[in-house]
Amino acid sequence: MTDAGGPDGVRVVSTAGVLTVTIDRQARMNALDSATVEELVRALTEDARDEAVRAVVLTGAGTAFCTGADLVAMSSDRPAGAAEADERARATMRRAEELIRAIVEAPVPVVAAVNGAAAGLGVSVALACDLVYAAEDAYFLLPFTGIGLMPDGGASLLVPAAVGRARANAMVLLGDRLPAAEAQASGLICEAVPAERLSTRVDEVAARLASRSRRALEATKSAMAATTLALLDTALATEAESQRALLTGPDLQEGIASVLERRAPQFR
């Protein structure tokens, strides 16, 4: 077993053909800041290319899988002006796209072990994986419109492709929470299992993948992505254009403030 270490926020361990990547920012419910995204991308694009690796497991530490962008980090560092705000918005969208592409383009299957809340970009991170298993007490939540934003990370493609337009609209427009059991019933994930069995179940799946031909896994994953995610480029480009405008608009500041102050937003 090897442990690649890495900066605070991500743990990377490789053993028996399985690369396990754990988001570990428990104080922030595994919300993503820039450094965490960069390390996740590095692990998925570099460590996963080790010829000994046959599968990647992506999970979260503690009680959450990933709750999306770190709103505290976003609110604590205000841009100096419009130009800086636009550049930061572009950088934010670029990092989100790089993370989703790193998962989709990883050479071997990526298995999501959704151990708790998956919210915002965290939903896209889970759904970009090839196989998704979740604890029965986990849930999927896209609360973007409640803070003045729109879904990103390819969610506008990944969610309706799995659950259909009606259920997807309830999730993205109303921010309805989807429990793991309903996520399985609707086809969003492979399986919901008791929380105490999630690690064992994912280990079983990863071990099965690790016993197979890496070349066959690579070819199969590539073919599946080419057919089922053929519109991913379009979705990411559309999201980036619209989200950049929202990231620099007035509603986001009110949305973040309402979350941090635990009150309803008052959009004008």
Side-chain angles (χ1 to χ4, degrees):
M1 179 176 70
T2 60
D3 188 337
D8 291 343
V10 179
R11 290 187 279 113
V12 183
V13 177
S14 181
T15 180
V18 179
L19 183 74
T20 301
V21 181
T22 304
I23 305 169
D24 192 357
R25 301 187 74 228
Q26 296 181 56
R28 300 291 308 128
M29 292 187 71
N30 297 332
L32 302 173
D33 61 4
S34 298
T36 304
V37 172
E38 290 175 4
E39 177 61 8
L40 287 170
V41 171
R42 187 208 63 75
L44 290 161
T45 55
E46 296 180 16
D47 295 345
R49 296 199 178 278
D50 184 336
E51 288 294 323
V53 173
R54 298 289 192 276
V56 176
V57 172
L58 181 58
T59 191
T63 59
F65 173 71
C66 174
T67 54
D70 190 336
L71 297 183
V72 172
M74 291 177 66
S75 66
S76 63
D77 188 14
R78 297 289 182 87
E84 183 178 345
D86 183 66
E87 179 53 37
R88 288 190 184 184
R90 290 177 182 275
T92 295
M93 296 309 299
R94 186 166 56 247
R95 285 192 296 269
E97 179 176 340
E98 288 174 351
L99 177 54
I100 298 306
R101 288 194 183 281
I103 297 170
V104 172
E105 297 173 5
V108 295
V110 181
V111 184
V114 183
N115 54 299
L121 181 60
V123 173
S124 297
V125 168
L127 299 186
C129 296
D130 303 284
L131 299 167
V132 186
Y133 297 83
E136 289 179 340
D137 57 359
Y139 61 85
F140 299 82
L141 176 67
L142 294 166
F144 289 94
T145 58
I147 60 170
L149 293 175
M150 63 170 285
D152 55 25
S156 60
L157 169 70
L158 297 167
V159 177
V163 303
R165 184 171 183 267
R167 176 64 67 87
N169 276 337
M171 290 183 68
V172 302
L173 294 174
L174 301 175
D176 283 355
R177 179 183 296 195
L178 189 67
E182 293 183 32
Q184 177 184 344
S186 63
L188 192 71
I189 65 174
C190 298
E191 188 178 347
V193 300
E196 65 274 12
R197 287 201 64 249
L198 178 63
S199 179
T200 300
R201 179 69 177 117
V202 170
D203 285 347
E204 292 171 352
V205 171
R208 288 179 63 188
L209 292 170
S211 70
R212 300 180 184 228
S213 159
R214 179 178 166 110
R215 290 178 180 174
L217 292 171
E218 289 179 355
T220 302
K221 170 166 177 162
S222 179
M224 290 295 289
T227 55
T228 63
L229 300 178
L231 295 177
L232 183 60
D233 288 347
T234 300
L236 290 171
T238 301
E239 291 170 353
E241 182 178 357
S242 299
Q243 191 77 300
R244 284 201 304 267
L246 294 172
L247 284 167
T248 57
D251 287 345
L252 176 60
Q253 296 306 319
E254 169 59 17
I256 291 177
S258 70
V259 172
L260 299 180
E261 296 168 12
R262 300 180 183 276
R263 60 173 175 80
Q266 298 179 10
F267 298 121
R268 301 185 182 280

